[in-house]
Amino acid sequence: MSVLDDAALDQLFRTARTHNAWLDKPVTDDQLRGIYELMKWGATSANSSPARIVFIKSKEAKEKLGQAISDGNRAKTLAAPVTAILATDYAFYEKLPQLFPHADAKSWFVGNQALIDTTAFRNATLQGAYLMLAARSVGLDCGPMSGFDNGKLDELFFAGTTIKSNFLINLGYGDVAALFPRSPRLSFDEAASIV
């Protein structure tokens, strides 16, 4: 496997920013499908793939979403061309016969709620990070955030299902003129060690 060039590393990591303001430029359904087609290949334990994504684009869906967004996040979320609800299916193990056919992985989870909860949340969150990298790789900017009422959002979009919201990712073409100065990051020695 080869090392990505500096331009690719910048786009994915070093110069990528969390955006709060958006240019009036649409994101197509084909782009959203392309993002999913990339992110789905990211590793999850036992190929569990518990993330479920709702891409909010229409005016009606945005108005519905706005009911669950905190006051400080509502305007920027409604202004984004797309908001992805990154959610978790807590019955993900029902799909394991399809996704992990070489073992009876479903039996590992049935009746073990603690394992279900940990596996579902961890791996769906991981898939959310893959979604952000996929979006950046196709030239979109991201604005991941909390700042919403999970219970209300679940009532509006996932009532009667085994799916619960995790976090939101605004997607589009960010307005670089509205960016805050870049915040610092921890050094290697502050955050990591080699033993």
Side-chain angles (χ1 to χ4, degrees):
M1 195 171 282
S2 61
V3 176
L4 295 176
D5 65 22
D6 279 335
L9 294 172
D10 285 346
Q11 183 168 327
L12 292 175
F13 297 103
R14 294 189 289 234
T15 61
R17 298 291 307 276
T18 295
H19 282 267
N20 294 298
W22 305 94
L23 301 176
D24 185 18
K25 185 175 176 184
V27 174
T28 68
D29 291 359
D30 285 344
Q31 285 175 295
L32 297 176
R33 289 179 181 280
I35 290 167
Y36 178 78
E37 291 300 321
L38 289 172
M39 63 127 337
K40 73 179 183 182
W41 298 113
T44 56
S45 62
N47 200 30
S48 55
S49 306
R52 303 294 180 263
I53 304 120
V54 178
F55 291 107
I56 304 292
K57 283 183 67 176
S58 72
K59 183 177 187 286
E60 297 76 23
K62 283 188 168 281
E63 287 172 0
K64 189 174 168 182
L65 176 66
Q67 297 174 47
I69 306 295
S70 66
D71 291 343
N73 287 332
R74 190 173 296 112
K76 70 180 178 182
T77 301
L78 297 180
V82 177
T83 299
I85 302 174
L86 199 295
T88 306
D89 186 352
Y90 285 86
F92 68 89
Y93 54 89
E94 295 291 348
K95 298 218 180 266
L96 287 177
Q98 170 191 345
L99 296 172
F100 202 74
H102 48 281
D104 183 16
K106 180 179 174 180
S107 68
W108 306 342
F109 296 95
V110 174
N112 189 342
Q113 195 61 49
L115 183 61
I116 290 167
D117 292 347
T118 300
T119 302
F121 183 75
R122 176 183 298 129
N123 288 281
T125 303
L126 188 59
Q127 287 185 281
Y130 297 145
L131 188 146
M132 289 174 33
L133 290 174
R136 288 173 174 173
S137 74
V138 299
L140 294 176
D141 293 305
C142 302
M145 61 177 213
S146 300
F148 63 95
D149 182 331
N150 288 81
K152 180 70 171 174
L153 191 75
D154 294 346
E155 177 186 310
L156 292 167
F157 289 93
F158 305 118
T161 73
T162 56
I163 299 170
K164 296 188 183 308
S165 57
N166 186 341
F167 63 100
L168 304 177
I169 308 170
N170 291 326
L171 297 167
Y173 299 91
D175 182 355
V176 296
L179 284 172
F180 301 107
R182 183 112 197 207
S183 297
R185 299 297 194 265
L186 297 176
S187 70
F188 181 92
D189 289 336
E190 290 175 295
S193 60
I194 301 170
V195 295

